[in-house]
mmCIF file of all heavy atoms in Angstrom:
data_model
loop_
_atom_site.group_PDB
_atom_site.id
_atom_site.type_symbol
_atom_site.label_atom_id
_atom_site.label_comp_id
_atom_site.label_asym_id
_atom_site.label_seq_id
_atom_site.Cartn_x
_atom_site.Cartn_y
_atom_site.Cartn_z
ATOM 1 N N CYS D 145 -6.374 17.673 3.852
ATOM 2 C CA CYS D 145 -4.985 17.845 3.409
ATOM 3 C C CYS D 145 -4.078 18.211 4.582
ATOM 4 O O CYS D 145 -4.378 19.138 5.338
ATOM 5 C CB CYS D 145 -4.932 18.930 2.331
ATOM 6 S SG CYS D 145 -3.262 19.344 1.786
ATOM 7 N N ASN D 147 -1.288 19.600 4.364
ATOM 8 C CA ASN D 147 -0.574 20.841 4.108
ATOM 9 C C ASN D 147 -1.468 22.066 4.263
ATOM 10 O O ASN D 147 -1.150 22.981 5.007
ATOM 11 C CB ASN D 147 0.059 20.797 2.716
ATOM 12 C CG ASN D 147 0.904 22.037 2.446
ATOM 13 O OD1 ASN D 147 0.391 23.063 2.018
ATOM 14 N ND2 ASN D 147 2.190 21.947 2.731
ATOM 15 N N CYS D 148 -2.611 22.090 3.571
ATOM 16 C CA CYS D 148 -3.437 23.314 3.589
ATOM 17 C C CYS D 148 -4.657 23.204 4.486
ATOM 18 O O CYS D 148 -5.310 24.211 4.770
ATOM 19 C CB CYS D 148 -3.859 23.690 2.171
ATOM 20 S SG CYS D 148 -5.139 22.624 1.463
ATOM 21 N N GLY D 149 -4.996 21.997 4.932
ATOM 22 C CA GLY D 149 -6.140 21.831 5.828
ATOM 23 C C GLY D 149 -7.489 21.824 5.128
ATOM 24 O O GLY D 149 -8.526 21.700 5.779
ATOM 25 N N GLU D 150 -7.491 21.971 3.813
ATOM 26 C CA GLU D 150 -8.756 21.964 3.060
ATOM 27 C C GLU D 150 -9.129 20.524 2.686
ATOM 28 O O GLU D 150 -8.301 19.615 2.772
ATOM 29 C CB GLU D 150 -8.623 22.804 1.783
ATOM 30 C CG GLU D 150 -8.263 24.266 2.008
ATOM 31 C CD GLU D 150 -9.407 25.078 2.607
ATOM 32 O OE1 GLU D 150 -10.577 24.791 2.282
ATOM 33 O OE2 GLU D 150 -9.114 25.965 3.431
ATOM 34 N N ILE D 152 -9.845 17.265 0.584
ATOM 35 C CA ILE D 152 -9.474 16.561 -0.643
ATOM 36 C C ILE D 152 -10.737 15.800 -1.035
ATOM 37 O O ILE D 152 -11.116 14.844 -0.369
ATOM 38 C CB ILE D 152 -8.299 15.587 -0.397
ATOM 39 C CG1 ILE D 152 -7.052 16.338 0.078
ATOM 40 C CG2 ILE D 152 -7.998 14.770 -1.661
ATOM 41 C CD1 ILE D 152 -5.949 15.436 0.646
ATOM 42 N N VAL D 180 -1.857 14.759 1.036
ATOM 43 C CA VAL D 180 -2.041 16.161 0.611
ATOM 44 C C VAL D 180 -2.788 16.218 -0.720
ATOM 45 O O VAL D 180 -3.079 15.194 -1.330
ATOM 46 C CB VAL D 180 -0.661 16.873 0.458
ATOM 47 C CG1 VAL D 180 0.068 16.926 1.792
ATOM 48 C CG2 VAL D 180 0.205 16.191 -0.607
ATOM 49 N N HIS D 181 -3.074 17.435 -1.164
ATOM 50 C CA HIS D 181 -3.671 17.612 -2.490
ATOM 51 C C HIS D 181 -2.643 17.302 -3.579
ATOM 52 O O HIS D 181 -1.474 17.712 -3.475
ATOM 53 C CB HIS D 181 -4.106 19.077 -2.691
ATOM 54 C CG HIS D 181 -5.373 19.442 -2.006
ATOM 55 N ND1 HIS D 181 -5.402 20.166 -0.841
ATOM 56 C CD2 HIS D 181 -6.665 19.171 -2.336
ATOM 57 C CE1 HIS D 181 -6.675 20.347 -0.476
ATOM 58 N NE2 HIS D 181 -7.456 19.746 -1.350
ATOM 59 N N SER D 186 -4.681 21.443 -5.926
ATOM 60 C CA SER D 186 -4.268 22.179 -4.729
ATOM 61 C C SER D 186 -4.792 23.612 -4.699
ATOM 62 O O SER D 186 -4.614 24.365 -5.656
ATOM 63 C CB SER D 186 -2.737 22.207 -4.649
ATOM 64 O OG SER D 186 -2.331 23.096 -3.627
ATOM 65 N N PRO D 187 -5.399 24.013 -3.556
ATOM 66 C CA PRO D 187 -5.807 25.413 -3.410
ATOM 67 C C PRO D 187 -4.601 26.350 -3.408
ATOM 68 O O PRO D 187 -4.747 27.553 -3.572
ATOM 69 C CB PRO D 187 -6.506 25.448 -2.042
ATOM 70 C CG PRO D 187 -6.836 24.033 -1.723
ATOM 71 C CD PRO D 187 -5.782 23.202 -2.394
ATOM 72 N N CYS D 196 0.504 21.806 -2.532
ATOM 73 C CA CYS D 196 0.562 21.205 -1.194
ATOM 74 C C CYS D 196 1.625 20.103 -1.105
ATOM 75 O O CYS D 196 1.868 19.568 -0.026
ATOM 76 C CB CYS D 196 -0.810 20.633 -0.832
ATOM 77 S SG CYS D 196 -2.103 21.886 -0.748
HETATM 78 ZN ZN1 ZN N 489 -3.865 20.971 0.280
#
Side-chain angles (χ1 to χ4, degrees):
C145 175
N147 184 275
C148 74
E150 300 289 326
I152 299 167
V180 297
H181 282 103
S186 170
C196 298

